[in-house]
Amino acid sequence: MAILKIARMGHPMLHQRAEAVADPTAPEIKALIADMIETMADADGAGLAAPQVHVPKRVVIFRVASQRAAEDAEDQEAEPVGLTVLVNPVVEPLTRETALGWERCLSLPGLIGAVPRYTRVRYRGVTPEGAAIEREASGFHARVIQHECDHLDDILYPMRMTDLTLFGFIEEMRGRRLTLDEPVAEAV
Ligand code: NI
């Protein structure tokens, strides 16, 4: 296992479409996922997509910690979600409703922005054991899976923003007109 270098916005790897994984159970995919888990933990992140570690494949990992779920301003009934690994994930909105919420990204260190996301989604993918996963998600859980899957299609969160006055350095953004009281410690 190894801690991998994380690509930052502007790196070509983050600006190309990632390729589907032909065999989700292949040993090199298992090794990649082990390294991604170690890298995410080292960076104190809540999610990570393979292109962020310079691998142009459709693999994402994420989790929703119990404290983050308990404080979820967008979903009062939010539940924690254990570490989830998805190969070839697909996200489908279940509503047209979007909500604005703060996001950080490990590829944009120090920055934060308010991003509109669908409030309810369904996602599917395959685990590295070859099992199918299908879940519905709301609140931060829905936000994080949309953020991670965007990484696979060369989209970074500022490209989803509709109000760039709500984008800046986290140390400077306290007191902006959208409250920063909700937890924003984890980047994805
Ligand atoms: Ni990100």
Side-chain angles (χ1 to χ4, degrees):
M1 297 225 299
I3 294 169
L4 305 174
K5 188 175 179 192
I6 297 175
R8 292 178 300 173
M9 184 169 70
H11 191 288
M13 188 60 73
L14 295 174
H15 301 283
Q16 65 180 62
R17 198 178 138 80
E19 296 166 6
V21 175
D23 177 6
T25 64
E28 65 265 27
I29 297 301
K30 280 201 170 66
L32 167 66
I33 289 163
D35 287 347
M36 287 175 64
I37 291 169
E38 195 173 358
T39 302
M40 183 176 82
D42 177 69
D44 202 19
L48 192 66
Q52 290 181 279
V53 292
H54 306 85
V55 178
K57 294 198 180 299
R58 301 185 82 79
V59 178
V60 303
I61 64 172
F62 66 90
R63 61 178 170 73
V64 179
S66 53
Q67 187 183 349
R68 187 64 182 80
E71 296 173 350
D72 196 329
E74 297 174 62
D75 181 3
Q76 306 302 330
E77 291 160 22
E79 301 269 350
V81 181
L83 178 68
T84 299
V85 177
L86 293 174
V87 180
N88 299 332
V90 177
V91 180
E92 165 196 359
L94 294 176
T95 174
R96 288 185 180 177
E97 184 193 355
T98 62
L100 210 53
W102 295 108
E103 293 186 23
R104 295 177 63 196
C105 179
L106 293 170
S107 296
L108 287 81
L111 292 164
I112 188 165
V115 185
R117 298 287 187 187
Y118 292 112
T119 55
R120 285 181 55 239
V121 300
R122 176 184 294 130
Y123 63 88
R124 299 182 176 85
V126 179
T127 72
E129 292 76 40
I133 286 187
E134 178 176 334
R135 290 182 191 154
E136 293 187 8
S138 55
F140 183 73
H141 184 191
R143 179 170 295 281
V144 72
I145 186 67
Q146 289 173 84
H147 178 120
E148 294 314 329
C149 287
D150 268 357
H151 274 300
L152 306 181
D153 292 325
D154 74 29
I155 298 167
L156 298 174
Y157 76 78
M159 301 172 194
R160 293 287 191 195
M161 291 183 65
T162 49
D163 180 355
L164 286 172
T165 70
L166 298 173
F167 180 45
F169 288 93
I170 188 165
E171 289 170 359
E172 310 286 359
M173 291 285 283
R174 301 283 166 191
R176 294 305 295 269
R177 57 190 169 83
L178 196 69
T179 177
L180 273 175
D181 287 346
E182 65 176 285
V184 291
E186 291 172 306
V188 295

